[in-house]
Amino acid sequence: MKRKLFLNTIKISALALLIGFSGCKKFLDVLPVGQKIPTTFEDYEALIRDEYGNQRTFVTQARLLLNDKFETVANLNYYPLWTANYNWDETANRVTLNNNDESTYYVSYAGISTSNLIIEHASETTEATDAQRNELIGQAKVLRAFNYYILANYYADTYEEANAGTKLSVPLILSANIGAPHTQVSIKELYDFMLQDIDQAMPVLKATSATVLHPNLGSANALKARIFLQMGKYTEALAAANEALKYNDKLFDWNAFYAANKAQIEEPGVYNNSTSPMGFNFVENYYFRHGESNYAGRESAVRTDRATRFETGDSRFASRWKLRTVGADTYYTSITTGYFNAGGLTTTEVYLIKAECQARLNDVSGAMATLNAVRVTRVFAANYSPLTATTTQQAVKLIQRTKANEMIMSIVPFADARRLNKDPEYATTRTKTENGKALSLSPGSHLWTMPFPLGAVKNPGNGTIQQNVDK
C-alpha cells in the first residue's frame, strides 16, 4: 500500500486539483485523462488502493477550532484563517480569509469523483466476475458516503431533525463526467443519500476485503453507526454498531504497549520513542484512512491545557505524547513515528457509539460496561477503576470525555461537539487564556460551520453554491 499503485498509467484530473488548489477552476470537472483510460477490473480496483489521492481526510480548521493541536506562532501569523479559528475570533471574515485552505473541499470531492467513476463504469470492466464488479461498486459507494460525511460535517450545519430539510448542505454530484450538473441539497437529502449508498452497498460487500483500504461489511456498518448517531437516531445507530462489532470487536492494549516501550518513553530528553501501532495492521481497524499526511511521520503536538482533559493514567496518551519545551513554547510532542489511522474507522469509535446509544436509550449500566471495556485497555492498572453513572446525562458526559480523547485529531470530536452543542444538557462554552487574554467559544457560535473556499464559490462547475455562513 505504500507504493503509488497504478498512478504511472492512470491519471485522474481530480488528482491534479490537489497540486494547486488556488488555481482550481471547476472542481467537478473530474474525468480520467492521461496515458491510459481504465478498462480492466484491475484498473478500476487500483483507484481504491490509491491511498495518496483517495484515502485522506483533511480537517485542519476543525482541529484548530477545538484547540486539540498545539499551533506555532509562526503558522498563526502566516495563515489568518488559522488564527481566526484557533483564537475563536468571531469578528474575522473567514469567508474572505478562506482563499488558501481548500484541502478539505477538493480532496474530498476528488475522492467522490473517483467513486463516481467506479460506480458509473466498473460494471463494464473486463477480466472480472459479476461478483467482483459488484463488490467494487459497493466499496466505491461506501467511500462516497464517507467523503460526503466529512463535507457535511465541515461546511454545513450539523443535522437537526427540525430543520435538516430546509438548511443547505453541500453540492451533491453523482457523475465523474466533465460538466456534470449538481445541486446543493439540503442536509436531510445528503444524509438520506449517504445512508442509501451504504444500504445499496451492503448486499455485495464481504466480511473481509482485499486490503484495509477497501470497505467491507464491518466498515460499512461502522460508518452507518456514525451517521445515525450524528442524526440522533440512537436505536438505528446501536443496531449498526452491534453489527459492526460482529466483524471486529478487538481493542488494542495500550497498557501493554506502554510497558513494552517504557524505557524509551520515559528516557529524559528523548522524543523518538516507538513505532506507531495505528498503521495498516492496527487490530482496531475497520477501514484505514490517512489524516492530513499520507507519509510516515509524527502526529500533531497537543496543547498543555488540552492534555489536562485526558484521564490520569491514560496509557494511550502517555505512549504517544511527551511534554517538551522549545524556546518559549511548551507542548506535548508526538513520540511515535509511522502511520496513523486518523481518518478511518476503528472498533474504539464503534464501542463508544454503542455506549452513548445505550445511555440515550436508558441502559445506563450497559453503557458504562461498554465504556469501561474500552478504558480498561488504556488506563494504567494503578489508576483504573470502573466508572459509574446514575443518569443518562452523567453517562453521556463520561463517554464523551473518553471519546474526545480517543478520537483526537480526527473529525469525530468536532462532529460530536457540534451535535452536542444543540442540546442544552450538553452544550459547552469553551474557554482558554491566550497571551494573557481570556477567550471563549460559545456552543451557538457561527465558527462551528466552516465557510466554503472562495475558489469553489466563484467557480462552482455546472451548478451553484450558496455560502453556509456569513463570515
Side-chain angles (χ1 to χ4, degrees):
M1 283 185 283
K2 298 178 186 177
R3 53 195 179 95
K4 296 182 179 178
L5 289 157
F6 198 59
L7 293 184
N8 290 329
T9 55
I10 293 180
K11 302 295 181 182
I12 298 179
S13 61
L15 301 182
L17 295 174
L18 309 186
I19 298 172
F21 298 122
S22 60
C24 297
K25 295 302 178 185
K26 294 185 178 181
F27 75 92
L28 299 173
D29 292 354
V30 281
L31 189 71
V33 297
Q35 300 174 5
K36 180 180 178 181
I37 298 297
T39 56
T40 68
F41 175 82
E42 182 182 358
D43 292 346
Y44 282 93
E45 193 268 345
L47 298 175
I48 287 183
R49 292 176 184 264
D50 172 21
E51 64 190 88
Y52 303 118
N54 298 319
Q55 305 284 0
R56 292 185 295 169
T57 298
F58 281 83
V59 290
T60 302
Q61 300 310 315
R63 298 195 304 163
L64 289 169
L65 190 75
L66 290 176
N67 275 210
D68 275 353
K69 70 188 293 282
F70 168 80
E71 196 48 78
T72 65
V73 173
N75 275 343
L76 294 176
N77 288 339
Y78 190 78
Y79 299 110
L81 180 62
W82 293 33
T83 303
N85 284 320
Y86 195 69
N87 289 332
W88 304 332
D89 184 0
E90 294 193 333
T91 67
N93 190 337
R94 298 179 306 155
V95 172
T96 59
L97 293 179
N98 194 13
N99 57 8
N100 63 359
D101 195 87
E102 303 169 326
S103 301
T104 305
Y105 194 81
Y106 289 112
V107 169
S108 298
Y109 273 111
I112 288 167
S113 175
T114 297
S115 290
N116 286 340
L117 178 68
I118 293 170
I119 293 164
E120 287 182 290
H121 299 290
S123 62
E124 306 159 8
T125 59
T126 61
E127 303 175 21
T129 65
D130 285 343
Q132 287 176 312
R133 297 184 187 99
N134 290 336
E135 182 185 19
L136 185 63
I137 291 170
Q139 290 169 341
K141 287 187 175 183
V142 174
L143 292 178
R144 182 166 68 179
F146 194 99
N147 280 305
Y148 273 124
Y149 175 88
I150 296 164
L151 292 164
N153 284 279
Y154 202 81
Y155 296 112
D157 288 349
T158 194
Y159 187 98
E160 293 180 276
E161 192 67 35
N163 56 37
T166 56
K167 282 189 174 184
L168 287 178
S169 185
V170 300
L172 177 64
I173 180 168
L174 304 177
S175 174
N177 291 333
I178 292 176
H182 68 88
T183 302
Q184 187 177 0
V185 296
S186 71
I187 294 172
K188 177 173 172 46
E189 287 174 310
L190 190 64
Y191 272 76
D192 288 346
F193 178 79
M194 290 187 284
L195 292 171
Q196 174 185 287
D197 255 359
I198 296 170
D199 285 341
Q200 289 178 352
M202 281 187 178
V204 297
L205 296 178
K206 298 177 181 177
T208 59
S209 49
T211 74
V212 75
L213 301 176
H214 292 70
N216 52 35
L217 285 168
S219 48
N221 278 289
L223 179 58
K224 192 173 185 178
R226 180 191 283 189
I227 292 171
F228 273 133
L229 180 67
Q230 200 67 29
M231 298 173 76
K233 296 183 180 294
Y234 304 118
T235 300
E236 294 87 341
L238 178 59
N242 282 329
E243 192 66 24
L245 290 169
K246 291 179 183 179
Y247 296 100
N248 184 10
D249 63 357
K250 297 182 180 67
L251 289 167
F252 185 77
D253 190 340
W254 283 96
N255 293 330
F257 179 85
Y258 187 94
N261 296 276
K262 187 174 187 294
Q264 302 121 288
I265 291 171
E266 295 182 357
E267 186 174 355
V270 176
Y271 303 99
N272 184 12
N273 299 104
S274 54
T275 301
S276 165
M278 297 178 288
F280 304 112
N281 297 320
F282 190 37
V283 297
E284 295 187 0
N285 285 343
Y286 287 112
Y287 160 61
F288 181 93
R289 175 176 282 224
H290 295 285
E292 300 185 9
S293 171
N294 47 272
Y295 301 102
R298 297 175 182 268
E299 296 181 274
S300 296
V302 176
R303 289 173 58 100
T304 55
D305 55 354
R306 176 63 183 85
T308 62
R309 300 209 297 272
F310 283 81
E311 280 195 68
T312 300
D314 189 320
S315 58
R316 186 172 181 267
F317 179 82
S319 296
R320 295 165 64 188
W321 288 284
K322 190 173 183 177
L323 190 64
R324 186 177 192 180
T325 299
V326 178
D329 294 325
T330 298
Y331 51 86
Y332 282 85
T333 190
S334 171
I335 58 174
T336 57
T337 58
Y339 291 90
F340 304 88
N341 189 3
L345 296 160
T346 65
T347 56
T348 292
E349 180 186 355
V350 173
Y351 272 107
L352 296 173
I353 290 173
K354 175 179 178 175
E356 180 173 345
C357 292
Q358 288 173 305
R360 298 281 192 170
L361 297 171
N362 299 316
D363 180 10
V364 173
S365 62
M368 300 313 292
T370 303
L371 171 61
N372 287 322
V374 174
R375 292 179 59 252
V376 75
T377 65
R378 43 261 284 157
V379 178
F380 294 128
N383 303 104
Y384 177 80
S385 61
L387 293 176
T388 60
T390 58
T391 67
T392 292
Q393 186 179 19
Q394 289 174 354
V396 170
K397 287 184 176 181
L398 290 170
I399 292 161
Q400 277 299 318
R401 178 183 67 172
T402 293
K403 192 177 180 188
N405 293 332
E406 288 288 331
M407 306 306 296
I408 192 170
M409 304 302 173
S410 76
I411 195 172
V412 173
F414 181 69
D416 279 344
R418 282 157 42 99
R419 67 181 175 85
L420 293 170
N421 280 341
K422 299 297 183 179
D423 186 336
E425 288 190 341
Y426 303 102
T428 302
T429 296
R430 296 166 185 257
T431 60
K432 69 171 181 175
T433 300
E434 200 76 23
N435 298 320
K437 183 178 180 180
L439 302 174
S440 65
L441 176 65
S442 72
S445 173
H446 67 272
L447 297 177
W448 288 104
T449 298
M450 300 300 166
F452 289 122
L454 282 176
V457 175
K458 291 181 178 179
N459 302 283
N462 189 4
T464 59
I465 299 177
Q466 180 177 316
Q467 190 62 261
N468 284 328
V469 290
D470 294 328
K471 61 182 181 179

